Amino acid sequence: MMSKHTLPARFEGLQAFLDWAQPTETLRLSKRESSSLEDIREFYDAMLADMPEIIAYLRDAASYAQADASTRTLYTLMLSFADASLSMELHKSPTVPDGMPWEIWKPEHETSGWSKKPAIELKPA
């Protein structure tokens, strides 16, 4: 499958994993849970090897809103790595064993009107 997304030149070795660069938390979770543990490991190992450079690159990049498209794709790929790391390091499974099916859970920040909710005020007891 051809992707319109690209990565910064120094991370071209990760091009094979662009299908992991999903734009929302729900889509990233769906990608992880629909992948085999072997596919997750392949992605995880490739990202882990470059993670120090990825973090340094993103630390030096402009803010997300001002970053170019390839840098934003790299950032999204890093978010997918965080999801994949749960499968590899904690669950040893693409899904959360004995967990709630992801289809019934929707991240609040992906629901309509979430940004209009009143701010939470923290007050001392």
Side-chain angles (χ1 to χ4, degrees):
M1 179 172 130
M2 199 63 174
S3 174
K4 64 179 179 170
H5 298 292
T6 60
L7 291 168
R10 66 197 277 193
F11 301 106
E12 65 186 16
L14 298 172
Q15 289 287 128
F17 301 104
L18 284 176
D19 60 328
W20 284 89
Q22 299 295 319
T24 67
E25 186 175 355
T26 299
L27 291 173
R28 289 188 296 273
L29 184 58
S30 177
K31 171 65 176 162
R32 185 190 85 199
E33 290 196 350
S34 66
S35 298
S36 69
L37 197 57
E38 294 78 24
D39 289 342
I40 296 170
R41 176 170 296 287
E42 184 181 355
F43 169 64
Y44 173 85
D45 288 346
M47 289 290 291
L48 185 61
D50 287 339
M51 196 49 61
E53 279 189 65
I54 292 170
I55 291 170
Y57 181 87
L58 292 173
R59 187 176 288 135
D60 292 339
S63 69
Y64 182 84
Q66 295 174 340
D68 62 34
S70 64
T71 299
R72 285 186 294 222
T73 299
L74 181 63
Y75 176 76
T76 304
L77 206 57
M78 187 184 73
L79 294 176
S80 292
F81 170 76
D83 284 331
S85 69
L86 291 173
S87 286
M88 298 314 305
E89 298 173 13
L90 184 62
H91 304 307
K92 312 296 187 215
S93 168
T95 61
V96 178
D98 299 320
M100 176 175 65
W102 70 267
E103 296 93 348
I104 65 172
W105 180 81
K106 181 95 169 162
E108 183 178 37
H109 61 273
E110 291 182 15
T111 59
S112 63
W114 77 273
S115 61
K116 296 178 183 139
K117 291 179 70 174
I120 297 172
E121 293 185 36
L122 300 177
K123 297 180 180 176

